[in-house]
Amino acid sequence: MSIRIIQIDAFTDRPFAGNPAAVCLLEQPREVDWMQAVAAEMNLSETAFVRPIDVGYELRWFTPQVEVDLCGHATLAAAHALWTEAGISPNETLRFQTRSGQLTAKRRGALIQLDFPATPAKPCDPPAGLIEALPVDPIFVGETKFDTLVVIESEAQLRSLQPDFARLAKIPTRGVIVTCGSESPEFDFLSRFFGPAAGIDEDPVTGSAHCCLAPYWGQQLGKTEMTGYQASSRGGIVKTQIAGDRILLSGAAVTVLRGELV
């Protein structure tokens, strides 16, 4: 039996921007090795596997190399796929059972709103090799349960970063988030995300990184609602809202490809 797979650009309202994710719509469980092979074949930063269960949907995420514990853009893409490709009413709140607990998705006008756990960064010394790999002179370095956060001075510095990915891959963390304040009133902060240890040199738009970015910038700016821009070559916009120990992430999504695994 063929299995539907859809490619969706997340955190953007136009094709070929934001972060592309593949969404595989399953009816039955599949082996981990098979899912990892599909993700390697798709060769996108994430491939999501969704199947209905008694309490909503099981959702798992794979890079081309590993399964991950939390992914924002592929969750956004999975919600978009269920509403637009699987006949689920857009008025229905989707409940995903994941390795990071239950996550929900709701329609909010033209945007999709995700309810994710906050992952604030605790101050730490820079991991060995980090400064040389970027290289930067950080204002702040912190660590979350997933990533290392690096705060730098300027937008120009952020946009011009050319990391040494071979060095960066040796740092024992899922990824490195580099961020700065925004010089444009349109955004509150900017970021880039590097994850060579997980098989992704630079991720175009990283929703889960904003579970760390929102608490940091919320404290710096005295805000609970902010808009982040991920300054990759594709670019993407993530709206954030701090809700206690949860972060509400909102963004748009657009389908760019429909296919079948045979």
Side-chain angles (χ1 to χ4, degrees), residues 24-107:
C24 192
L25 299 176
L26 301 176
E27 296 297 329
Q28 303 294 331
R30 295 301 302 254
E31 300 81 5
V32 170
D33 288 349
W34 180 86
M35 290 188 283
Q36 188 64 75
V38 171
E41 182 77 10
M42 298 306 297
N43 200 32
L44 299 171
S45 57
E46 300 285 349
T47 297
F49 297 85
V50 190
R51 69 179 182 93
I53 56 177
D54 290 342
V55 284
Y57 297 88
E58 180 188 63
L59 176 60
R60 299 175 73 168
W61 313 278
F62 290 77
T63 77
Q65 293 186 8
V66 296
E67 184 173 8
V68 299
D69 292 332
L70 189 65
C71 178
H73 86 280
T75 304
L76 194 83
H80 177 81
L82 289 171
W83 286 321
T84 62
E85 310 290 333
I88 307 302
S89 169
N91 296 321
E92 180 177 331
T93 297
L94 302 174
R95 290 174 171 80
F96 297 114
Q97 310 306 321
T98 78
R99 287 168 59 152
S100 289
Q102 178 172 277
L103 311 175
T104 63
K106 301 177 181 179
R107 296 292 320 186

Side-chain angles (χ1 to χ4, degrees), residues 124-133 141-143 147-150 170-173 176:
C124 69
D125 293 329
L130 175 69
I131 304 305
E132 296 80 5
V141 178
E143 60 182 0
D147 305 311
T148 299
L149 176 68
V150 179
K170 296 177 182 178
I171 296 171
T173 183
V176 175

